[in-house]
Amino acid sequence: SDFVKEVNSRAEQEDIDNMVQCDGPCRRWFHWTCAGYFVPPTDAEEDQPFACDACLAGDRAGELRRGERLDADDLPPCEVSVAMEAAVAAALRGKDVRLRGRFCVRTVSTQPAAYKPQPYLLERYGSAYPRELPYTSRCVLAFQRVQGQDVCLFAVYLQEYAPSCPGPNAGRAYISYLDSVRL
């Protein structure tokens, strides 16, 4: 009895659910994120071509185009991501596993940060305990290409304390968040 039926206006719906239409023969509509756009297309990008993977695969004449799209492996690799990719590749080879889609690891965020101890730690350990523990916050993601889309299947956030950081965290790394998807 308290249920009130409300209808979004078309303008509200378009603001929430930005869609792009395939220029190929299917003429299907896709949510802009699923189509590979990371922000809703602006007015200047409205005329940018978009063809879905199915239509692109069937385009023998090469007439269909897709607007510029960034993939996970377009992000620059770093020493950490290269080492992680190599370790995963070696582990998969050791188990005789072959991936169907491309696999890549990328560090997507590296930022300086600082841990400020809670008052109870300062009370317990006194002036010997540092007032701040600087660290590097790093986010590392692993992607696998599935049906033409990069799927994030692993995420880890790290807190990396340099050897120059005051004790007790000097030279340590902590996992602050870890998540994965089983494909």
Side-chain angles (χ1 to χ4, degrees), residues 75-88 103-108 138-141:
L75 295 168
C78 68
E79 190 175 327
V80 171
S81 63
V82 170
M84 289 179 78
E85 278 183 28
V88 169
F103 176 82
C104 74
V105 177
R106 293 296 184 264
T107 298
V108 297
R138 186 182 309 269
C139 176
V140 181
L141 304 177

Side-chain angles (χ1 to χ4, degrees), residues 78-124:
C78 68
E79 190 175 327
V80 171
S81 63
V82 170
M84 289 179 78
E85 278 183 28
V88 169
L92 292 175
R93 273 193 309 275
K95 302 266 185 196
D96 201 27
V97 174
R98 297 187 59 134
L99 295 177
R100 289 188 208 159
R102 183 184 68 241
F103 176 82
C104 74
V105 177
R106 293 296 184 264
T107 298
V108 297
S109 173
T110 303
Q111 296 182 6
Y115 171 73
K116 298 197 185 311
Q118 298 295 317
Y120 73 88
L121 287 172
L122 297 174
E123 288 172 17
R124 181 174 182 178

Side-chain angles (χ1 to χ4, degrees), residues 10 27 49 61 98 126:
R10 182 148 179 85
R27 306 298 292 164
R98 297 187 59 134

Side-chain angles (χ1 to χ4, degrees), residues 15 18 32 37-42 45:
D15 187 46
N18 290 291
W32 58 271
Y37 296 99
F38 297 107
V39 294
T42 63
E45 296 170 326

